[in-house]
Amino acid sequence: MFHLGALLGFAAILFLISFFILQIRVEKFIYKRVKRIYDDVSLLEKTDFRDQPITTDMQTLTEQIEKFANKKKIEIESLKIRESYRKEFLGNVSHELKTPLFMVQGYIETLLDGALDDKAVRKKYLQRAAKGVERLIFIVRDLDMITKLETGDLHLYQEEFDIVELVQNVFDMMEMKAAKKNINLTFDMEYKNPIWVYADKERIQQVITNLVVNSIKYGKQDGTTEVSIEDLIKNKVIIRVTDNGEGIEKQNIPRLFERFYRVDKSGSRKEGGSGLGLSIVKHIIEAHKEKIYVESVYGVGSEFSFTLERGKTVNKNVRMKAGQKAP
């Protein structure tokens, strides 16, 4: 009986020793495998796994890997979207550049093939080639401006100026262009006194010009482009450019400010321009640390608005928004 008890005790001790040895070996094996997973994953994203303790708990490990996988899935989807935009952008750049290039090339080749001898044809073709070169210059200039705005190389020269006077100057410049479609350029009310803002006057004039040109380009015959200036908060005013043109479909609004993005997929270039106007507008406003907004109803019209910092000079006739107290 003693020998049986001793044998059972020895067997139990042997089992426990074997169990612990086996557990240690298994844990060491699993640890090596898990560490390899951590090492492999760390090569892809060191910031997520470099400082984390290695765990052999399967639930914790599964949660970490799932979190990492979901993050990578989102990044991959984002990269796919960016790649799609990149391809579309390159295609648009190619199209925008090759159209005037081929036009200039065609006219010059025609002249070299003998048309130089005809004075009337020579002048006409040289004028058309000059227009093609001018379009190329517009595109390159606008691309250069956007690049400078994005990299911070284009410095703003901010000053106080009267935004009412600046809008009126834009109206005067665009009067003939608007007259071709009998579009009325107007304020929403009579602004008898100056409204002072603090910004880069030249760049803001470019913003308003681009928005007004856009409203004329896509405006209806006998339509209206209206500019209003409202007090937004204590130190901000908002400028709205509203038209009753063709409007923009909802799915196109999020991409309006992309370079070369065109709502009209037919590729018509009758209205000219570099295709970079709205992108430049957005970059200029953001360079001022301000916001730009767009609202549009297809078939009814569109409204582009942006904020500016008020000047220190008291604005006497800025229209108050409903329910807002005077500053």
Side-chain angles (χ1 to χ4, degrees):
M1 193 67 181
F2 173 76
H3 293 290
L4 181 61
L7 184 63
L8 289 173
F10 176 75
I13 293 171
L14 185 62
F15 173 79
L16 289 172
I17 293 172
S18 300
F19 174 79
F20 284 118
I21 292 174
L22 183 63
Q23 185 181 30
I24 292 169
R25 295 289 296 175
V26 169
E27 284 189 355
K28 191 174 181 181
F29 175 78
I30 293 174
Y31 180 84
K32 286 183 178 179
R33 295 283 181 169
V34 171
K35 187 176 185 301
R36 178 177 291 182
I37 293 173
Y38 272 87
D39 292 341
D40 291 342
V41 172
S42 296
L43 292 175
L44 298 174
E45 189 62 63
K46 291 185 178 180
T47 57
D48 280 357
F49 287 89
R50 181 172 52 195
D51 300 326
Q52 290 189 9
I54 297 174
T55 178
T56 56
D57 180 69
M58 289 298 104
Q59 184 177 353
T60 304
L61 178 62
T62 301
E63 289 174 356
Q64 289 179 354
I65 296 299
E66 284 181 353
K67 183 179 178 181
F68 174 80
N70 288 332
K71 181 180 178 182
K72 286 302 167 187
K73 184 179 179 181
I74 293 172
E75 289 181 1
I76 290 169
E77 291 298 323
S78 176
L79 288 172
K80 285 181 179 178
I81 293 172
R82 290 181 184 179
E83 177 66 11
S84 176
Y85 285 171
R86 185 188 68 83
K87 289 179 180 178
E88 185 176 347
F89 169 68
L90 290 175
N92 286 331
V93 171
S94 175
H95 181 82
E96 293 288 345
L97 293 176
K98 75 181 181 182
T99 301
L101 275 173
F102 287 167
M103 182 178 72
V104 172
Q105 183 185 36
Y107 288 132
I108 291 176
E109 286 180 351
T110 303
L111 290 170
L112 292 175
D113 288 342
L116 277 171
D117 298 331
D118 189 324
K119 188 175 181 180
V121 173
R122 180 176 63 201
K123 184 177 180 181
K124 180 175 70 174
Y125 279 20
L126 285 174
Q127 287 175 338
R128 291 180 179 178
K131 286 183 179 179
V133 172
E134 186 179 5
R135 184 184 174 94
L136 285 169
I137 291 171
F138 283 156
I139 294 171
V140 173
R141 181 200 63 192
D142 288 349
L143 278 172
D144 180 60
M145 176 174 291
I146 290 177
T147 302
K148 287 180 178 179
L149 284 164
E150 287 179 341
T151 57
D153 292 337
L154 188 64
H155 300 290
L156 299 176
Y157 300 95
Q158 293 181 280
E159 60 180 315
E160 263 194 17
F161 62 91
D162 178 13
I163 190 67
V164 176
E165 181 184 12
L166 187 140
V167 172
Q168 187 59 58
N169 290 340
V170 173
F171 282 171
D172 294 341
M173 288 189 296
M174 295 295 109
E175 186 177 7
M176 291 184 65
K177 187 177 184 69
K180 292 178 182 179
K181 297 175 74 172
N182 198 28
I183 290 176
N184 183 34
L185 304 179
T186 182
F187 286 102
D188 66 317
M189 59 175 281
E190 183 180 1
Y191 293 92
K192 295 181 180 179
N193 298 311
I195 298 176
W196 301 98
V197 295
Y198 184 73
D200 187 314
K201 185 176 181 179
E202 182 180 346
R203 300 303 172 198
I204 297 303
Q205 178 167 316
Q206 189 174 7
V207 166
I208 296 174
T209 300
N210 283 348
L211 292 179
V212 170
V213 167
N214 219 49
S215 72
I216 296 171
K217 184 187 299 184
Y218 297 104
K220 295 178 180 177
Q221 188 75 24
D222 303 320
T224 300
T225 293
E226 181 182 274
V227 174
S228 66
I229 306 162
E230 299 177 11
D231 203 38
L232 188 62
I233 55 177
K234 185 176 181 180
N235 64 332
K236 299 284 183 183
V237 296
I238 186 166
I239 296 91
R240 306 181 191 274
V241 180
T242 309
D243 65 68
N244 57 354
E246 61 189 55
I248 305 160
E249 292 181 292
K250 189 175 180 180
Q251 66 268 23
N252 291 318
I253 291 178
R255 299 190 60 189
L256 274 180
F257 296 103
E258 291 178 21
R259 302 178 188 181
F260 297 115
Y261 183 77
R262 292 182 183 272
V263 174
D264 180 12
K265 297 302 181 182
S266 65
S268 172
R269 299 296 184 268
K270 291 181 181 178
E271 298 291 347
S274 67
L276 296 166
L278 287 180
S279 183
I280 290 174
V281 164
K282 180 175 182 289
H283 280 88
I284 290 176
I285 295 302
E286 289 182 347
H288 282 80
K289 309 249 185 294
E290 300 292 347
K291 301 290 185 182
I292 184 163
Y293 310 93
V294 57
E295 295 180 11
S296 185
V297 178
Y298 187 65
V300 177
S302 304
E303 178 183 281
F304 289 83
S305 58
F306 61 94
T307 59
L308 285 180
E309 183 179 343
R310 291 176 59 179
K312 293 181 181 179
T313 305
V314 176
N315 294 329
K316 297 181 180 180
N317 69 329
V318 183
R319 184 157 51 87
M320 307 300 298
K321 297 187 77 176
Q324 185 175 355
K325 296 180 180 179

